[in-house]
Amino acid sequence: MNRRNLFIAICTITLGIAALAMSQTYFEDNFDDPKESEKKWVALFGEWEFKADEYHQLQNTPNCMSVVADEFWDDEWNDYTFEMRGSKTSGAEGFLIMFRCQGLMQARGQALEDPPPRMEKLKPSLEYWWNLGGWGNSRSQVESWGGKAGANSAHTIDEKDWYNIKIVNTSDSYTVILNDEEVAEVADDTEGGVGRIGLATWSTVAKYDDVVVYGPDGPSLPVDARSKLATTWAHLKSVK
């Protein structure tokens, strides 16, 4: 490698490292360590269980919810992307993907468990959920208590299939994406976009995996030993 190519390679690596340093992962859980996952989630209603490296909700009843614990959420986060995978096992509907949640969640006829202490004290109460396969698995929509609903679509949820679900939340809008296709963007500056994330079901047994929440600069990615960046570093170190 001549000096010019070496200089270009070093600059490319430096820029790549800078991009990694700027990226941020706020929260993640792939459920491969049940003891660690237990610290991260607070179940408000339903029968939630960590098994097979997934988060299962086993009770076929309305309004089953689990939210991120206080220790793993910053109440000032209002510009984040929330991704996960979901699979419906059985039941009448699909998934309820919660975001922008603060204060007391709506019980809707259920005796909810104690919420995270800090979350309970936040005012006003606010709750958003992307209802995928709602209304008897006939359509989908973002619903909200205290905010702005929208993103109506004809999407339904099939049993056993895995779905890639993404919500891009900002201070003045939210965008919902299913299987890498944008469904809708909704202008909404309610409470400046603050509020934590959660997982839920309604009259459905389902499971979730690969939950990650990251900031506007993207997720923090480790330099894997097999990555191109690591390989290039190894090559440069061998150049005399």
Side-chain angles (χ1 to χ4, degrees):
M1 179 180 289
N2 60 39
R3 291 180 178 274
R4 181 177 181 277
N5 290 338
L6 177 61
F7 175 77
I8 293 173
I10 292 174
C11 289
T12 301
I13 290 172
T14 301
L15 290 173
I17 292 173
L20 289 174
M22 287 167 40
S23 64
Q24 66 252 235
T25 296
Y26 294 159
F27 174 84
E28 61 182 334
D29 198 353
N30 59 10
F31 307 107
D32 61 353
D33 187 339
K35 290 184 178 180
E36 287 301 312
S37 292
E38 286 177 3
K39 301 174 186 176
K40 296 179 179 181
W41 298 90
V42 177
L44 303 182
F45 188 77
E47 185 180 348
W48 293 89
E49 182 179 354
F50 303 105
K51 66 176 184 178
D53 297 339
E54 298 159 343
Y55 197 20
H56 292 239
Q57 199 298 112
L58 304 173
Q59 189 167 316
N60 193 341
T61 193
N63 207 33
C64 299
M65 297 182 286
S66 183
V67 296
V68 173
D70 281 344
E71 293 79 3
F72 295 89
W73 192 263
D74 186 326
D75 295 323
E76 295 184 358
W77 288 339
N78 66 350
D79 193 352
Y80 59 80
T81 296
F82 172 24
E83 294 189 39
M84 87 297 301
R85 297 193 306 128
S87 179
K88 170 184 172 178
T89 303
S90 63
E93 304 205 356
F95 313 115
L96 300 177
I97 310 303
M98 304 172 70
F99 65 107
R100 287 193 182 191
C101 294
Q102 66 176 23
L104 294 174
M105 298 297 92
Q106 293 291 327
R108 293 192 276 275
Q110 309 292 8
L112 299 183
E113 298 292 334
D114 291 335
R118 197 179 70 239
M119 183 181 184
E120 180 180 9
K121 297 176 182 178
L122 295 172
K123 302 293 182 182
S125 289
L126 185 65
E127 182 179 348
Y128 284 71
W129 62 99
W130 190 11
N131 190 347
L132 285 158
W135 299 273
N137 202 20
S138 62
R139 63 186 182 90
S140 298
Q141 180 184 334
V142 172
E143 301 179 88
S144 177
W145 290 91
K148 183 177 179 180
N152 296 284
S153 74
H155 291 93
T156 57
I157 300 300
D158 295 327
E159 289 186 10
K160 314 302 181 185
D161 289 348
W162 280 96
Y163 292 83
N164 296 317
I165 302 163
K166 179 188 293 187
I167 299 172
V168 181
N169 180 70
T170 73
S171 61
D172 56 15
S173 71
Y174 60 83
T175 303
V176 290
I177 300 165
L178 184 64
N179 289 337
D180 299 321
E181 293 187 7
E182 182 176 316
V183 175
E185 180 179 358
V186 179
D188 181 5
D189 61 359
T190 302
E191 297 300 317
V194 298
R196 75 185 66 192
I197 60 99
L199 301 170
T201 62
W202 187 281
S203 299
T204 298
V205 176
K207 54 189 178 182
Y208 298 101
D209 200 2
D210 298 327
V211 174
V212 61
V213 181
Y214 53 86
D217 294 318
S220 306
L221 300 175
V223 180
D224 188 271
R226 294 164 295 178
S227 71
K228 291 182 179 179
L229 183 58
T231 302
T232 304
W233 267 118
H235 175 72
L236 287 176
K237 289 174 68 177
S238 68
V239 175
K240 302 295 185 181

